Amino acid sequence: MPVTLEQIRTARENIAGKVERTPAMLSQSLSDRTGHPVHLKLEHHQTTGAFKLRGASNAIAALSPEERSRGVVAASTGNHGRALGYAAKLEGMRAVICMSKLVPENKLDAIRRLGAEIRIVGNSQDDAQQEVDRLVAEEGLVMLPPFDHPDIIAGQGTLGLEIMEQVPEAVAVMVPLSGGGLAAGVAAAVKGVSPATTVIGVSMARGAAMKVSLDAGRPVQVEELPTLADSLGGGIGLDNRLTFAMCRGLLDDVILLSEDEIAAGIRHAYEQEREIVEGAGAVGIGALLAGKVTAKGPVVAILSGRNIDMALHRKIVCGEVPLRTERAA
């Protein structure tokens, strides 16, 4: 694999003191419902509200002094931008975050508060990436992409190390799947420690780029569509170097959820677990509630982020699904 267990262990040393070691909590309600122990990895308790701080912190730690002086730039659906802005601010560095018009306003506001520069470009991650490429070429900024980068993947993989330390008996780990940085890193760590443990990617049915690419056997471009799991949107890049190969080699399965199933996960997290999570962070719970995961032992679901617009959250908790797969497809 392009990113090894040893690199992930080195990343943990690099980010020590910069990120939280988040808890893994036994969910009694989900355990009772499924008939086996279900643990929730509360990564949405991370400092910036999502797992992305792990990769961003590790990638910045790996930069040379000359690269730090130039500043960093990235395309983002929100959480990577927030993490990169936070990590760059700690080092006194310039950070420019390029995003599409589909990124929710609450995520834009959080990034602005960190002092990062924001560029809104087009209607997709691919459009935002074009602005990133321009800034690299014309202003010399260092690109730190949201997923297809060895230091980013290794940083996200530290989450897998924690899971296997906290729930060493886990037979399956459920990972939100988008561009594959989290899934690749976690799978490399989990499989490196416990090869028999199953790693399952979970995504939304609307625009699941990695799933479509895996089915095609190569990276393909997928239309980016509105979804409650907005953090899982965007393509994987037609020139994907790392995450496609790692997800193809390490993931045991990929599960897709409807908007109703994602909303059910958000609602359950709030009503039964007393946790506020965004759509991307709720897909593991949603898959379990929908009966799409079967296991014969302990399962871990990663709650990857909490950065949801609270007006939207209130609507979902009250039983409204603002976007339904069958209506909007």
Side-chain angles (χ1 to χ4, degrees):
M1 286 291 107
V3 176
T4 66
L5 181 61
E6 188 58 36
Q7 287 173 285
I8 295 171
R9 286 174 170 154
T10 298
R12 178 156 65 173
E13 297 174 3
N14 291 341
I15 66 177
K18 300 177 182 177
V19 304
E20 297 292 329
R21 179 182 171 90
T22 55
M25 176 188 75
L26 178 68
S27 167
Q28 196 60 56
S29 63
L30 289 171
S31 299
D32 291 343
R33 186 179 183 115
T34 62
H36 54 73
V38 175
H39 298 262
L40 302 177
K41 178 61 170 168
L42 307 184
E43 186 63 12
H44 63 302
H45 289 187
Q46 193 55 256
T47 305
T48 56
F51 72 93
K52 292 283 190 177
L53 187 59
R54 296 174 182 268
S57 297
N58 188 50
I60 283 183
L63 294 178
S64 68
E66 187 274 333
E67 288 172 321
R68 293 182 181 217
S69 69
R70 288 154 52 193
V72 294
V73 62
S76 173
T77 54
N79 286 336
H80 176 63
R82 185 171 182 175
L84 194 60
Y86 181 90
K89 184 177 181 180
L90 289 182
E91 303 296 331
M93 295 168 51
R94 180 190 181 194
V96 182
I97 311 301
C98 302
M99 294 176 285
S100 80
K101 297 174 184 176
L102 295 179
V103 176
E105 190 64 32
N106 68 297
K107 293 187 176 181
L108 301 179
D109 291 341
I111 295 170
R112 289 191 186 100
R113 287 195 295 270
L114 292 170
E117 303 170 38
I118 291 178
R119 309 286 174 88
I120 305 298
V121 184
N123 296 304
S124 70
Q125 279 283 85
D126 291 332
D127 293 337
Q129 184 59 44
Q130 291 180 13
E131 177 66 5
V132 171
D133 295 339
R134 187 191 69 79
L135 290 168
V136 171
E138 297 181 9
E139 299 187 25
L141 293 171
V142 177
M143 180 176 66
L144 291 180
F147 52 86
D148 199 34
H149 187 287
D151 295 323
I152 296 289
I153 296 169
Q156 318 304 24
T158 63
L159 185 53
L161 293 181
E162 289 182 16
I163 288 172
M164 296 315 297
E165 291 167 354
Q166 294 165 324
V167 193
E169 70 277 17
V171 301
V173 176
M174 304 172 63
V175 190
L177 177 63
S178 179
L182 177 63
V186 168
V190 169
K191 297 286 190 181
V193 173
S194 176
T197 300
T198 298
V199 182
I200 302 167
V202 190
S203 195
M204 69 288 176
R206 292 176 58 81
M210 183 61 80
K211 170 62 171 171
V212 174
S213 296
L214 291 172
D215 289 345
R218 58 181 174 82
V220 297
Q221 191 166 353
V222 176
E223 182 183 2
E224 194 168 337
L225 299 169
T227 171
L228 295 178
D230 56 271
S231 292
L232 301 184
I236 71 168
L238 296 180
D239 58 348
N240 188 289
R241 299 179 301 115
L242 303 171
T243 60
F244 173 76
M246 293 185 70
C247 287
R248 180 176 57 186
L250 294 171
L251 293 183
D252 297 284
D253 195 9
V254 175
I255 294 170
L256 301 183
L257 302 186
S258 71
E259 298 300 308
D260 298 274
E261 290 165 343
I262 296 168
I266 294 172
R267 195 176 302 118
H268 177 96
Y270 182 74
E271 294 177 347
Q272 300 296 323
E273 315 298 344
R274 297 297 186 261
E275 301 288 345
I276 294 174
V277 295
E278 59 187 278
V283 294
I285 294 177
L288 289 166
L289 294 175
K292 293 186 174 181
V293 176
T294 57
K296 297 182 178 180
V299 172
V300 178
I302 298 174
L303 276 55
S304 57
R306 68 166 183 258
N307 299 322
I308 187 171
D309 178 85
M310 290 310 296
L312 172 62
H313 188 269
R314 283 192 293 273
K315 289 181 179 180
I316 294 171
V317 168
C318 290
E320 180 181 349
V321 181
L323 179 67
R324 291 183 181 274
T325 305
E326 63 273 17
R327 186 177 66 211

